[in-house]
Amino acid sequence: MENNSKEKGHLHPSTIVSRDLLKIFMDLGFEVIDGPEVESEHYNFDMLNFPKDHPARDMQDTFWIKNSPHTVLRTHTSNTQVRYMEKHKPPLRVVSFGRVFRAEATDATHEAQFYQVEGLVVDETTSVAHMKGALLEVCQKIFGEKTKIRLRPSFFPFVEPGFEVDVTCFKCSGKGGMCSLCKGTSWVEVVGAGMVQPAVLKNGGVDPDKYQGYAFGFGFDRLVMLKYGIDDIRHLYSGDLRLINQF
């Protein structure tokens, strides 16, 4: 007699986190948008205020399309920002989720292709305080209600001021000590963010004298690894059922 029973399948941890994360943003009023993975240098760099001599444009960091001058595999989901601003008038509240590509040497924390979540808010009264409040809400829903965040000054060409955003370590509850995740610092870096550069607003057809905006980007695979204690990014793309069957 034939056995027609089938083993119940499992959602991949990346699928679980992506569904949860996008629902959080939609509940906060964000519209989910998409953009092309094969992108022009114009939208990937120029419109986002990257100087012509910025190292990200080098062959060591960017995949350039052979026999197609000025065309790249996008290095970030930020390419959706100006594209969306060109076609829509403020106020804007959007989030983009998708695959990006960089010429990285593959190891436990780096892959040549990975996923990013990029957010953009543009309004007449947007401020760093609004940005911090939104990011705190998102991080608490991902990592727990007791999560705190801190902002550290940083530089990104398309925002000014720019920040690295850390969350209290959820493995040691911010106690530090001998924690292997935060290395005793009590904090884990999860987001890059900042106020949108006026030049980027102008490139998107938005009057920077009337509107302000903030943008932020999550390294999505890093979120998955942190949330589930996965120590090698390559496990997420291996197709090994021993990983998936744990969840």
Side-chain angles (χ1 to χ4, degrees):
M1 182 176 179
E2 184 178 355
N3 184 1
N4 292 320
S5 63
K6 295 182 180 180
E7 184 178 351
K8 186 177 180 180
H10 301 266
L11 289 177
H12 194 283
S14 294
T15 302
I16 297 170
V17 176
S18 65
R19 290 181 177 182
D20 291 345
L21 189 60
L22 292 179
K23 184 179 186 304
I24 290 169
F25 282 114
M26 288 188 288
D27 288 345
L28 291 174
F30 283 78
E31 176 187 354
V32 179
I33 63 172
D34 198 5
E37 293 182 351
V38 180
E39 184 59 282
S40 67
E41 181 182 11
H42 177 69
Y43 281 107
N44 196 79
F45 293 123
D46 297 339
M47 297 288 271
L48 292 168
N49 203 43
F50 280 81
K52 292 295 184 181
D53 59 352
H54 195 282
R57 296 176 184 254
D58 294 343
M59 289 296 292
Q60 293 93 330
D61 294 302
T62 302
F63 289 108
W64 294 82
I65 304 301
K66 189 176 181 180
N67 299 325
S68 181
H70 310 296
T71 305
V72 302
L73 295 181
R74 67 177 180 183
T75 59
H76 44 212
T77 48
S78 304
N79 67 320
T80 60
Q81 288 187 20
V82 176
R83 284 183 171 276
Y84 191 84
M85 286 191 286
E86 285 181 329
K87 297 179 180 179
H88 300 82
K89 294 181 179 180
L92 309 176
R93 183 177 288 261
V94 296
V95 63
S96 175
F97 172 70
R99 188 169 52 169
V100 301
F101 307 85
R102 295 182 190 173
E104 299 271 13
T106 300
D107 59 27
T109 57
H110 297 87
E111 262 287 8
Q113 66 171 21
F114 52 98
Y115 285 82
Q116 278 190 343
V117 179
E118 182 94 15
L120 172 69
V121 174
V122 179
D123 209 333
E124 292 186 22
T125 58
T126 303
S127 69
V128 172
H130 294 123
M131 179 190 76
K132 184 176 181 180
L135 291 176
L136 177 61
E137 178 75 13
V138 172
C139 289
Q140 286 181 339
K141 289 190 177 297
I142 297 172
F143 300 116
E145 294 183 358
K146 294 184 179 180
T147 300
K148 297 179 181 179
I149 67 173
R150 70 175 183 182
L151 276 57
R152 292 181 290 109
S154 189
F155 172 77
F156 304 100
F158 37 86
V159 293
E160 184 181 350
F163 305 95
E164 299 283 1
V165 183
D166 304 331
V167 300
T168 46
C169 181
F170 39 87
K171 184 173 183 178
C172 67
S173 300
K175 296 177 182 178
M178 301 296 292
C179 178
S180 60
L181 179 59
C182 68
K183 305 298 189 293
T185 66
S186 303
W187 298 92
V188 179
E189 178 189 326
V190 293
V191 190
M195 299 301 294
V196 180
Q197 245 278 353
V200 177
L201 293 174
K202 189 174 182 180
N203 289 341
V206 175
D207 182 358
D209 293 324
K210 182 178 181 181
Y211 294 100
Q212 301 85 46
Y214 65 82
F216 54 85
F218 288 83
F220 174 75
D221 300 283
R222 179 167 168 77
L223 285 182
V224 178
M225 294 170 69
L226 290 172
K227 187 173 179 66
Y228 288 105
I230 298 170
D231 60 3
D232 193 321
I233 190 173
R234 293 169 291 192
H235 293 331
L236 299 178
Y237 299 99
S238 67
D240 192 331
L241 292 178
R242 290 175 297 178
L243 172 71
I244 301 173
N245 288 340
Q246 295 179 53
F247 307 101

